[in-house]
Amino acid sequence: MSEEDESMSDFEEGEEGSGLDFILSLDDVPSNLPPHLELLKTRVLCNSDAPQHTDTIQYSGAYAALGVDNSLRLDSFCENFKIEVNRMADDVIEFDMIGIDPAIANSFRRILIAEVPTMAIERVYIANNTSIVQDEVLAHRLGLIPIHADPRLFEYPVNAGDDRNEKNTIVFKLHVRCKRGQPRITVKSDQLQWLPNGSELPCENAKPNADSKPKTFTSFACSQDSLPEFSCNPLGPTNPDIIVAKLGPGQEIELEAHAVKGIGKTHAKWSPVATAWYRMLPEVVLLEDVEDELAEELKNKCPKQVFDIEDCGKGRRRAKAARPRDCTLCRECIRGGKEWEDRVSLRRVKNHFIFTIESTGAVPSEVLFTEAVKILEDKCERVITELS
Amino acid sequence: MEHGSHSDPSKSTFSLVDEDHTFANSIRFTLNQDPRVAFTGYSIPHPSENRVNIRVQTTGDPAREVLKDACQDLMLMCQHVRSTFNKAVEVAKSSRVRTEDTDSD
Ligand code: SF4
């Protein structure tokens, strides 16, 4: 017996619908819908032909005629909302987010991909490049290297070409040469050398001034490694073994790369995540007892081993959906005719998300999520101030 | 950014620049959950223009105030999400430390 069937018995008839205001003025608004509607409201039914009831019922008055209030009050949201962390490693976090609408869960995902800032190489000044990798390809490859720097410690560059100081720019130098007569060498990301004092390349169009230092592409007021936040935590690429180029004998690369703060919307190199995705919690319900040979057949049908067989005494065996979470919705178990569709019901829980965030390494994934939520808060705040 | 009539403040279209589905879809959800809202929806008139139009029609209250409340609600929801998440991460971290401790024993 599924949960929905059980709730059938204790469902009480709601008041006659007589206007939303009246309903809302009641102290105890009946919150349970008839079980069949509750099922359609909270579950996606994954039938063999197509998923059904995929939309969420958002409108507060959707069930007004039944005397059921569909609005969401903040206190009930806070009461029901839950997060459970399943897995947490250096660069990846997986957690269950329960009791939230897909609209908001999706906003978090979109913000994670496109609007949480990171640092990435934006300008590359190539002094010499005799490798077979063209300048623009090389610059693009450098741009995609994740930089281990906390973007919260930096400012956005006000305007490209504007003031580049220690607060908005990180400078790296790359100088490698493959000597003649030597075997080919591979240039990897760890050869990018951090220049905490800023650029060393003289700016061409600046007038040479005899007494002062030659003007460079940056104007750092102080060395970055004298700042407390970087002195014990040198900046550099997150991964030391990303191949940048290969050099044959006699080839050389000499360049300077400037990393700035940006967001994934502008260019994917600033995206802080490798992937950020969620899936709805699968629910596998056996609508009738599946026993003996059929149970065996069902168990073998599923490629993800969702079903187990349990002994129910007297030599009878019964199938049981033991690991619905592993279900990939391949629908293999409901293939083979109508009778299987009647035995197994595949569903997804609409407000239960299994969220996975894989960071590129620049910022830990749990920090990324809190940053994403903060960005959505900022958006709200912006609109509120514009409206008032 | 508000386009509505002066005589009837309960119906308005709000045109937001530099926003997209991310904000508009979640605010549509919070607006829909407000019993004072009769209709709400959003559109992005052109994909290469950074703008969304959010339509709010209420049962009588000024649309501007209702939208403001919806933003406020969304913000409070976000704050709750953030604090719940931080707590969950703390729990996960401490249990991870504990399992590592027992592993090394
Ligand atoms: S849909 Fe596929 S993975 Fe899920 S229970 Fe059925 S056979 Fe197993």
Side-chain angles (χ1 to χ4, degrees):
Chain A
M1 212 194 216
S2 66
E3 266 175 34
E4 286 74 33
D5 296 333
E6 280 164 10
S7 60
M8 174 90 81
S9 48
D10 49 42
F11 164 69
E12 294 157 13
E13 201 64 38
E15 272 91 345
E16 280 303 310
S18 49
L20 207 55
D21 297 336
F22 168 69
I23 294 158
L24 286 174
S25 67
L26 294 175
D27 270 348
D28 49 343
V29 184
S31 61
N32 39 352
L33 282 167
H36 66 286
L37 287 183
E38 187 68 36
L39 178 71
L40 304 190
K41 185 190 166 199
T42 57
R43 303 288 190 270
V44 179
L45 305 185
C46 304
N47 300 335
S48 58
D49 48 352
Q52 252 191 335
H53 308 293
T54 50
D55 54 340
T56 48
I57 315 290
Q58 295 186 338
Y59 178 46
S60 61
Y63 301 112
L66 290 165
V68 175
D69 173 24
N70 192 41
S71 71
L72 181 77
R73 248 71 68 75
L74 201 61
D75 44 346
S76 70
F77 169 78
C78 293
E79 223 167 84
N80 296 322
F81 181 73
K82 273 206 291 287
I83 287 183
E84 282 157 24
V85 179
N86 302 327
R87 186 157 58 96
M88 201 158 74
D90 287 341
D91 289 343
V92 53
I93 185 167
E94 186 193 287
F95 56 92
D96 280 26
M97 195 154 71
I98 308 161
I100 195 162
D101 193 82
I104 296 174
N106 192 39
S107 294
F108 294 151
R109 185 193 62 85
R110 286 174 62 98
I111 293 174
L112 276 167
I113 292 171
E115 292 181 56
V116 177
T118 55
M119 302 295 287
I121 290 172
E122 166 72 353
R123 287 183 297 270
V124 178
Y125 300 94
I126 296 177
N128 189 10
N129 175 18
T130 52
S131 76
I132 53 162
V133 186
Q134 299 94 320
D135 290 2
E136 61 274 28
V137 178
L138 184 64
H140 181 245
R141 290 182 70 82
L142 288 168
L144 294 173
I145 295 173
I147 305 291
H148 182 76
D150 191 339
R152 290 170 293 182
L153 303 173
F154 291 90
E155 291 167 0
Y156 286 102
V158 200
N159 254 322
D162 231 357
D163 184 31
R164 296 168 196 172
N165 53 35
E166 71 285 355
K167 289 193 202 75
N168 60 22
T169 309
I170 307 172
V171 181
F172 295 101
K173 185 172 104 175
L174 181 68
H175 191 185
V176 263
R177 182 194 293 135
C178 183
K179 291 203 185 73
R180 284 196 187 280
Q182 300 275 311
R184 267 181 286 164
I185 58 167
T186 305
V187 183
K188 295 200 172 159
S189 52
D190 62 347
Q191 273 153 309
L192 278 172
Q193 189 200 338
W194 177 38
L195 299 180
N197 289 310
S199 173
E200 289 172 349
L201 289 178
C203 195
E204 273 165 24
N205 38 16
K207 296 256 158 24
N209 204 331
D211 42 276
S212 69
K213 283 190 295 180
K215 185 146 175 35
T216 64
F217 286 100
T218 55
S219 43
F220 280 20
C222 64
S223 163
Q224 275 170 336
D225 56 4
S226 68
L227 301 171
E229 55 269 33
F230 306 128
S231 54
C232 48
N233 191 11
L235 303 170
T238 17
N239 307 77
D241 52 357
I242 300 171
I243 296 174
V244 177
K246 292 195 176 182
L247 295 184
Q251 295 178 346
E252 180 177 2
I253 292 177
E254 183 179 4
L255 57 82
E256 212 176 76
H258 294 197
V260 299
K261 186 172 169 174
I263 58 171
K265 218 193 246 179
T266 321
H267 191 290
K269 68 184 174 189
W270 278 299
S271 184
V273 291
T275 53
W277 58 283
Y278 56 74
R279 61 193 188 108
M280 289 186 277
L281 179 77
E283 191 182 59
V284 182
V285 178
L286 293 174
L287 299 175
E288 55 186 63
D289 284 350
V290 179
E291 292 182 334
D292 302 329
E293 283 85 62
L294 278 178
E296 200 68 49
E297 193 187 335
L298 180 61
K299 184 177 174 234
N300 294 336
K301 266 180 160 197
C302 176
K304 301 299 284 185
Q305 305 300 326
V306 166
F307 301 100
D308 264 355
I309 293 186
E310 59 179 9
D311 249 310
C312 53
K314 300 190 211 96
R316 299 186 71 88
R317 290 161 303 139
R318 188 167 51 196
K320 173 179 129 197
R323 287 168 292 274
R325 205 177 247 272
D326 293 349
C327 174
T328 57
L329 212 73
C330 65
R331 299 176 219 203
E332 205 53 47
C333 56
I334 53 172
R335 265 175 55 165
K338 182 86 173 62
E339 63 274 20
W340 280 107
E341 281 172 47
D342 291 340
R343 282 182 198 124
V344 188
S345 171
L346 298 171
R347 302 168 186 166
R348 302 247 139 169
V349 183
K350 278 183 199 171
N351 65 356
H352 185 144
F353 299 96
I354 305 170
F355 222 103
T356 313
I357 303 171
E358 246 182 78
S359 163
T360 54
V363 184
S365 37
E366 67 268 18
V367 179
L368 284 179
F369 184 76
T370 43
E371 288 299 305
V373 181
K374 270 190 215 157
I375 288 172
L376 190 56
E377 281 169 39
D378 291 346
K379 282 174 187 286
C380 297
E381 212 170 273
R382 205 197 106 203
V383 175
I384 292 175
T385 43
E386 266 182 61
L387 284 174
S388 24
Chain B
M1 69 177 207
E2 184 178 353
H3 306 282
S5 77
H6 288 294
S7 53
D8 185 5
S10 73
K11 301 177 181 65
S12 270
T13 301
F14 300 88
S15 190
L16 308 183
V17 281
D18 288 334
E19 291 297 350
D20 56 4
H21 299 281
T22 306
F23 178 73
N25 195 24
S26 37
I27 204 69
R28 183 184 64 178
F29 164 73
T30 36
L31 277 166
N32 257 323
Q33 294 286 326
D34 190 327
R36 291 173 298 173
V37 172
F39 169 81
T40 177
Y42 77 91
S43 73
I44 294 179
H46 195 279
S48 53
E49 204 189 348
N50 257 337
R51 173 187 298 278
V52 308
N53 293 336
I54 300 174
R55 177 73 177 167
V56 184
Q57 289 175 205
T58 71
T59 51
D61 302 69
R64 168 183 284 261
E65 295 307 312
V66 173
L67 178 60
K68 236 166 46 184
D69 287 351
C71 289
Q72 194 71 40
D73 270 1
L74 183 57
M75 212 159 95
L76 294 171
M77 274 164 87
C78 285
Q79 279 164 8
H80 182 70
V81 169
R82 200 145 53 91
S83 64
T84 317
F85 180 78
N86 286 340
K87 265 181 236 151
V89 167
E90 282 311 311
V91 170
K93 272 190 182 148
S94 62
S95 70
R96 190 164 68 163
V97 170
R98 227 176 294 134
T99 45
E100 272 164 15
D101 282 352
T102 46
D103 284 352
S104 56
D105 284 349

